[in-house]
Amino acid sequence: MAPTIDSGSLVVLRGENNIDNWERALRIELEFAEVDDYVYKTVAEPSKEDKPDEHKKWKLGRVHALKIINTTLKDDKVLTTLRINGWDQSNRDPKYLFDLIKTTIGKVTNEARSEILEQYQGLRRSGFDSMASFLNQYELARRRVADSGLVIDDTVECLNLYNMVKRDYPTDAKLWANDMTKNTLTTNKLLAHLSTLSNTEARQSNLTIQVKTTAKADKDLNKSGTNNGDNDSGNSGRGKKNKNKLTCPTCNNTIQKDYIHCICGRHRSGKITTCWWYEPDKAPDT
């Protein structure tokens, strides 16, 4: 009867960060089961015809050693790394699997750490169509950094994130820089600010579509109105329309008589007291 596996004494392999502890516990279990030679040495296969008992012992020993190793392989990232590096799961040699783990996990993790960190620090808001897309990619990169075992101080992480967005939001960046000087800005607080900007951008995008649609409808209506009647009535219509126009004293553009130059750089009716671009949450839903 094959000996049982003491899974409580084994260590689940998580990556390079615990591979030493993993191997130490593994070796103890393999030696206790007297199957360590099948992992650390190359044991020749006895003849099945000439030495059936020895062949059976060899086969069971390999299977038991392989079972012990497999008991420690539960981490999805480790399993994925092994598969990417050509893990032949039909190979029943425990030494093959052990050697693959030793040469793959450490090597790939070291190289991956450098690549992950480079990709994370290289993110820039300008490389994405929207703040929402940037934040999604940032969270993925942030998670990969954590999964790789790298620990980044919050002050450094906050500075990294600030550098990723400061050129695209210079006005806000001045406020964030001031908060960093006072040591009151954290990564989570900056992410909250960026999330608010993301929501604002989404609302402004919807509002732009609404404004363009309304402008097109007005243009079509005006075009239809000036084409009706004789030339005199057309000229009269244009005269009345021109009376409703004036030159904006701020930008010198022609605007409606009751419109004003807004702080957002656009023009809006003086009857509207709130700038929908600066406060999109107060804009109409339709």
Side-chain angles (χ1 to χ4, degrees), residues 17 113 144-151:
N17 58 324
R113 275 183 173 178
R144 290 188 69 197
V145 168
D147 290 343
S148 71
L150 289 169
V151 178

Side-chain angles (χ1 to χ4, degrees), residues 14-278:
R14 303 293 182 188
E16 189 200 9
N17 58 324
N18 80 330
I19 196 168
D20 291 336
N21 291 335
W22 167 81
E23 185 178 0
R24 188 180 305 111
L26 179 68
R27 180 182 286 273
I28 292 173
E29 184 65 24
L30 291 170
E31 289 178 351
F32 179 77
E34 298 182 348
V35 292
D36 51 301
D37 282 352
Y38 297 106
V39 174
Y40 298 104
K41 298 179 181 179
T42 300
V43 181
E45 179 180 3
S47 172
K48 187 174 182 180
E49 290 76 18
D50 299 335
K51 300 178 180 179
D53 292 339
E54 289 186 25
H55 185 273
K56 182 178 181 180
K57 179 183 177 181
W58 172 85
K59 184 177 180 179
L60 291 176
R62 281 166 42 109
V63 169
H64 189 62
L66 187 62
K67 188 175 181 180
I68 291 174
I69 297 175
N70 276 320
T71 301
T72 68
L73 301 180
K74 299 178 180 179
D75 187 271
D76 288 337
K77 295 187 295 296
V78 170
L79 293 171
T80 299
T81 300
L82 291 174
R83 294 188 188 104
I84 290 174
N85 284 272
W87 180 18
D88 179 8
Q89 298 185 51
S90 64
N91 191 322
R92 318 311 289 175
D93 184 0
K95 188 177 187 307
Y96 158 77
L97 179 55
F98 178 79
D99 289 345
L100 179 66
I101 292 171
K102 290 289 290 182
T103 58
T104 298
I105 297 301
K107 174 186 174 184
V108 172
T109 303
N110 281 332
E111 293 177 353
R113 275 183 173 178
S114 177
E115 182 180 347
I116 288 170
L117 190 59
E118 183 179 354
Q119 291 176 352
Y120 162 73
Q121 294 178 328
L123 288 174
R124 292 294 182 271
R125 165 63 182 88
S126 57
F128 298 85
D129 293 336
S130 66
M131 174 62 81
S133 297
F134 165 78
L135 288 176
N136 287 337
Q137 191 61 40
Y138 173 80
E139 288 296 346
L140 287 174
R142 191 186 189 194
R143 195 176 305 124
R144 290 188 69 197
V145 168
D147 290 343
S148 71
L150 289 169
V151 178
I152 301 178
D153 179 79
D154 188 74
T155 302
V156 176
E157 185 175 6
C158 185
L159 181 60
N160 284 336
L161 180 57
Y162 169 79
N163 288 331
M164 295 174 189
V165 300
K166 65 180 181 181
R167 295 186 183 278
D168 298 274
Y169 305 93
T171 303
D172 295 292
K174 292 179 181 179
L175 300 176
W176 300 332
N178 187 48
D179 288 342
M180 281 194 291
T181 302
K182 297 178 181 178
N183 294 321
T184 58
L185 187 66
T186 64
T187 302
N188 287 336
K189 285 183 179 180
L190 182 51
L191 282 172
H193 289 310
L194 298 181
S195 179
T196 300
L197 284 174
S198 176
N199 293 334
T200 300
E201 286 183 0
R203 284 179 172 270
Q204 288 179 345
S205 178
N206 293 334
L207 187 58
T208 299
I209 295 174
Q210 178 185 348
V211 170
K212 287 182 177 179
T213 302
T214 303
K216 185 179 185 301
D218 290 343
K219 183 178 180 181
D220 292 343
L221 182 62
N222 290 334
K223 183 177 180 181
S224 174
T226 56
N227 286 337
N228 288 333
D230 55 25
N231 290 336
D232 291 339
S233 63
N235 291 331
S236 174
R238 283 193 292 273
K240 290 181 180 179
K241 188 163 64 174
N242 289 333
K243 290 181 180 180
N244 292 328
K245 299 282 186 177
L246 56 83
T247 300
C248 175
T250 303
C251 65
N252 292 324
N253 286 323
T254 302
I255 60 174
Q256 293 288 346
K257 189 174 183 179
D258 64 336
Y259 272 47
I260 62 173
H261 192 97
C262 187
I263 57 175
C264 67
R266 300 172 177 82
H267 300 97
R268 61 178 170 84
S269 172
K271 298 177 183 179
I272 302 175
T273 58
T274 301
C275 176
W276 294 345
W277 295 91
Y278 263 56

